[in-house]
Amino acid sequence: MRHLRQLFVCSVLAVATIPVGCGAEAPDSAEQASDVGSISLSLVGTSATGATYRLSNTLFDIYGPTHRLFYGDGDTTVLTAVLPVGAYDVYLEPGWVLERWTSSGYQYVPAVLTSANPTSVFINEGATSTVAFQFRADGDVVSVGQGTLDIVIGVDDTTPLSEDTDVACSNGYDDDRDGYADCSDPDCQWQPFCVPWREDTDVACSNGYDDDGDGYADCSDPDCQWQPFCAPGGEYTDVACSNGYDDDGDGYADCSDPECQWQPFCVPWREDTDAACSNGYDDDGDGYADCSDPECQWQPFCVPWREDTDAACSNGYDDDGDGLADCSDPECQGQPSCAPWGEYTDVACSNGYDDDGDGLADCSDLDCGWLPFCATSGLLIEDFEDGDFFSSPPYASRLPPYTGPWVTYGDGPIPVDLLPVPGPFGSTALGAHSPGGPSASGAGVMLTFDMWPVDVSGFQGIRFNVRSQGAPVRFEIGTLPTTPEGGFCSDCFDSHGIDLGVGTEWVTIELYWWQLMQQGWGTPTPFEPWAVMNLNWRTLPGQPLGIELDDVQLF
């Protein structure tokens, strides 16, 4: 039989009456004495043999209707406080030390905690509730525990030979050394800890049985959700962050684990961080959640006034609350983080940045030349209204508007006629026609600058109205590098140009210098707008000439 003698350092406390000598003070929230109970933690006691023991370096974690931490060092004999009436769990944190008094002072003794940790207790009004912790040291069984909540130390000198108490059946040891520990020992089958009528302990929640007969076994039973065995692998739920365990094994339990910082249990005091202002909870209990709380007004999550900076356009939020976040918001289209890789939109060509990294920004980039923001007004070369394409000087001027002779050509005996024809919008246009099919290289009409090249580099391209009488049309620009006069080419006349998809209806063609390409059979050279020798519209080989032009201009 075990003999337990307990020393009450602070007398057993009646819940309704708080002894002044224990130093307890009622919390501000207590309206009357009957709303609270008290707790007294005595850390010194004697065993049946007269030995004195001291529990030091202790940290008791008590949580229930309220949460308290009590720490005792080697000089502390009693810890006291006032608690509201209700159910509590008392948890002795690791790191405690058990010491025994000798003639030379307290000396450390090896010891193990053999009772359940945490231990549950209910503090009733006007009554004493008991919670017990038991230790084994030097053959002694040291108990910590009883009161309102009153925890004291006692030592049982006899070695336990039986395993028939609730403590012995829940401490993880084979106390009677019969090869069976705790509930696997037949002696424990009637102890409360081992009675399988409930499924709300770690043992019941991990034994593979539906212990309470509700149709749910182990972790599938809602009663098991708080048990360590059923805790999720991560520590990122309110349950896992308030159960007193290090559920994910990273060395941090509950609110000390960074993963728990977003959980309501761990953010109860203030609502003035970006995390607290964006978690959907009223963290400080003032009736206002997140951005509706005045304390959140300066937090990044709650400042949605504008979305027109590079930071606001790249943070993943809809900062101005218009339903469009970051680069999908039109206000962000001019920001560097939202700039397209190419520089070929009106926004990219007007934001002051070199968006495609080619060293040219906005309208100085050739990619921007055709955009409305960078477009220049057109310079009319010929509208064919005065008929001077027959009677103009033999060569065009080197200065704008570059008017000059229009000539036709063909490589066969078939004549080519140049005559005025009705143009679009009731105007006069130039017509170039041949009655039959030209031979090898085709036929065309040309504005020639044979005496000297002209410089059109101040313009982005050329536009004109054109239609065909059934044959495909190609537009080309001859430059010094592609004509014999320049002395650059060995295979000349491979001018820069483009095939036009035109038919019998008038269409307006707008071409940019960068769109014009050589056909590839002549000497390769880049297009040089500063050395233009002629403008040429022609049909393909084997096709009759039937081209009509109007309103030729540079832009």
Side-chain angles (χ1 to χ4, degrees):
M1 175 182 295
R2 299 181 186 175
H3 303 282
L4 182 65
R5 184 173 60 170
Q6 299 174 321
L7 172 65
F8 290 82
V9 178
C10 182
S11 61
V12 175
L13 305 177
V15 176
T17 305
I18 311 301
V20 176
C22 292
E25 298 181 1
D28 295 338
S29 60
E31 296 181 358
Q32 56 186 14
S34 61
D35 289 336
V36 298
S38 63
I39 178 170
S40 175
L41 310 178
S42 180
L43 306 181
V44 178
T46 59
S47 70
T49 61
T52 300
Y53 287 85
R54 178 176 72 180
L55 193 62
S56 64
N57 198 39
T58 55
L59 180 60
F60 288 96
D61 190 348
I62 301 176
Y63 48 97
T66 188
H67 183 201
R68 293 287 188 274
L69 292 174
F70 294 93
Y71 177 76
D73 56 19
D75 297 328
T76 305
T77 59
V78 179
L79 303 174
T80 61
V82 177
L83 296 176
V85 171
Y88 292 84
D89 283 336
V90 182
Y91 180 73
L92 177 58
E93 297 283 357
W96 53 265
V97 175
L98 190 67
E99 300 171 308
R100 184 171 57 192
W101 175 258
T102 66
S103 59
S104 59
Y106 279 104
Q107 300 292 326
Y108 164 79
V109 292
V112 294
L113 177 64
T114 59
S115 61
N117 191 23
T119 296
S120 299
V121 65
F122 193 94
I123 296 181
N124 293 291
E125 179 181 354
T128 298
S129 301
T130 301
V131 60
F133 285 94
Q134 189 177 68
F135 304 82
R136 185 182 299 278
D138 290 344
D140 289 342
V141 176
V142 183
S143 296
V144 178
Q146 69 178 19
T148 319
L149 188 63
D150 191 357
I151 298 179
V152 297
I153 293 178
V155 178
D156 190 336
D157 295 288
T158 61
T159 301
L161 298 177
S162 61
E163 197 163 9
D164 56 1
T165 66
D166 211 37
V167 172
C169 292
S170 60
N171 61 7
Y173 293 92
D174 177 16
D175 298 276
D176 56 7
R177 303 175 184 174
D178 63 355
Y180 301 97
D182 296 344
C183 296
S184 62
D185 193 323
D187 294 339
C188 290
Q189 62 179 328
W190 297 108
Q191 298 305 316
F193 184 82
C194 298
V195 175
W197 302 115
R198 300 181 63 184
E199 195 160 12
D200 57 1
T201 66
D202 214 34
V203 172
C205 292
S206 59
N207 60 6
Y209 295 97
D210 176 16
D211 299 276
D212 56 6
D214 63 355
Y216 301 97
D218 295 345
C219 296
S220 62
D221 194 319
D223 295 337
C224 291
Q225 63 178 333
W226 292 87
Q227 301 306 318
F229 183 82
C230 298
E235 198 155 4
Y236 46 77
T237 66
D238 216 34
V239 170
C241 292
S242 57
N243 61 4
Y245 294 98
D246 175 17
D247 298 275
D248 54 9
D250 62 356
Y252 302 97
D254 295 350
C255 296
S256 62
D257 194 316
E259 293 180 356
C260 289
Q261 64 178 331
W262 293 85
Q263 301 306 319
F265 183 81
C266 297
V267 191
W269 307 119
R270 302 180 66 180
E271 195 158 10
D272 57 1
T273 66
D274 214 34
C277 293
S278 58
N279 62 3
Y281 294 98
D282 175 17
D283 299 277
D284 54 8
D286 63 356
Y288 300 97
D290 294 349
C291 295
S292 61
D293 194 317
E295 294 180 0
C296 290
Q297 63 180 331
W298 297 107
Q299 300 306 318
F301 183 80
C302 296
V303 186
W305 307 116
R306 303 187 65 178
E307 194 159 9
D308 56 1
T309 66
D310 210 37
C313 292
S314 58
N315 61 3
Y317 293 102
D318 174 18
D319 298 275
D320 55 7
D322 62 357
L324 302 169
D326 294 350
C327 295
S328 61
D329 193 317
E331 294 181 359
C332 290
Q333 61 184 338
Q335 300 305 319
S337 61
C338 297
W341 294 110
E343 197 155 4
Y344 47 77
T345 66
D346 221 30
V347 171
C349 291
S350 59
N351 61 5
Y353 293 99
D354 175 17
D355 299 275
D356 54 9
D358 62 358
L360 301 171
D362 296 348
C363 295
S364 61
D365 193 318
L366 293 179
D367 295 339
C368 292
W370 60 278
L371 291 165
F373 182 81
C374 297
T376 59
S377 58
L379 172 67
L380 184 66
I381 294 178
E382 182 62 79
D383 60 6
F384 304 107
E385 296 299 322
D386 56 8
D388 65 356
F389 51 87
F390 290 114
S391 59
S392 59
Y395 298 104
S397 170
R398 296 188 62 185
L399 300 175
Y402 312 117
T403 56
W406 289 81
V407 299
T408 60
Y409 63 90
D411 61 354
I414 300 173
V416 176
D417 297 327
L418 194 65
L419 67 162
V421 296
F425 317 113
S427 62
T428 299
L430 172 69
H433 297 272
S434 65
S439 57
S441 61
V445 59
M446 176 190 304
L447 173 60
T448 178
F449 310 131
D450 285 341
M451 286 296 292
W452 43 72
V454 298
D455 183 1
V456 298
S457 60
F459 299 90
Q460 302 175 67
I462 186 171
R463 70 171 65 95
F464 49 84
N465 297 323
V466 63
R467 68 176 176 176
S468 169
Q469 298 303 313
V473 176
R474 178 173 176 81
F475 170 72
E476 294 178 335
I477 296 182
T479 60
L480 276 178
T482 61
T483 56
E485 292 87 344
F488 297 104
C489 56
S490 56
D491 292 324
C492 300
F493 302 113
D494 187 6
S495 300
H496 293 79
I498 189 171
D499 293 332
L500 304 177
V502 298
T504 58
E505 299 295 329
W506 284 101
V507 294
T508 299
I509 300 295
E510 190 169 77
L511 300 173
Y512 296 84
W513 305 141
W514 57 268
Q515 292 178 276
L516 306 179
M517 307 291 291
Q518 291 178 284
Q519 290 183 298
W521 50 264
T523 302
T525 180
F527 178 70
E528 301 292 357
W530 55 269
V532 173
M533 298 296 293
N534 56 69
L535 307 178
N536 179 22
W537 291 259
R538 66 180 178 86
T539 57
L540 302 181
Q543 299 291 331
L545 177 61
I547 299 174
E548 296 179 0
L549 293 172
D550 197 10
D551 296 330
V552 179
Q553 56 182 308
L554 301 176
F555 65 88

